[in-house]
Amino acid sequence: MTDNPTDTPASTDIVPDWLIPSRVYDILKWLGLIVLPALALFVSTVGPAWGWPHVDAIVTTLNALGILAGALIGVSAIKQRIDRAA
């Protein structure tokens, strides 16, 4: 460590770069588990009745976004477990 006053001591708590901030984690979890699947089901049910175009593409996109959100929180949780075990 140098005598530079801008250096931070080694004992400070540094948030690991694998960790998604808890607010972002909560939002992604809420979107991936509740909002996007519910919205996809709603669009697939109501869309054809109202004559919405491209319903299949919209539903596929919503489901893919839900899987992406789940993957992001899953990867973060797995990395956190690995780092804590080490």
Side-chain angles (χ1 to χ4, degrees):
M1 195 163 183
T2 64
D3 291 331
N4 188 346
T6 60
D7 286 346
T8 56
S11 64
T12 59
D13 292 332
I14 298 173
V15 176
D17 55 354
W18 50 261
L19 185 63
I20 297 174
S22 78
R23 182 72 177 144
V24 174
Y25 179 89
D26 291 341
I27 291 170
L28 285 174
K29 190 173 179 181
W30 177 71
L31 283 171
L33 294 176
I34 298 171
V35 174
L36 292 171
L39 189 57
L41 180 63
F42 175 80
V43 170
S44 70
T45 304
V46 174
W50 284 90
W52 294 348
H54 313 294
V55 170
D56 289 338
I58 294 168
V59 170
T60 300
T61 303
L62 291 171
N63 285 324
L65 287 171
I67 292 169
L68 176 63
L72 290 174
I73 61 175
V75 166
S76 180
I78 289 169
K79 286 186 177 181
Q80 179 182 19
R81 284 189 203 122
I82 290 171
D83 286 352
R84 285 188 179 177

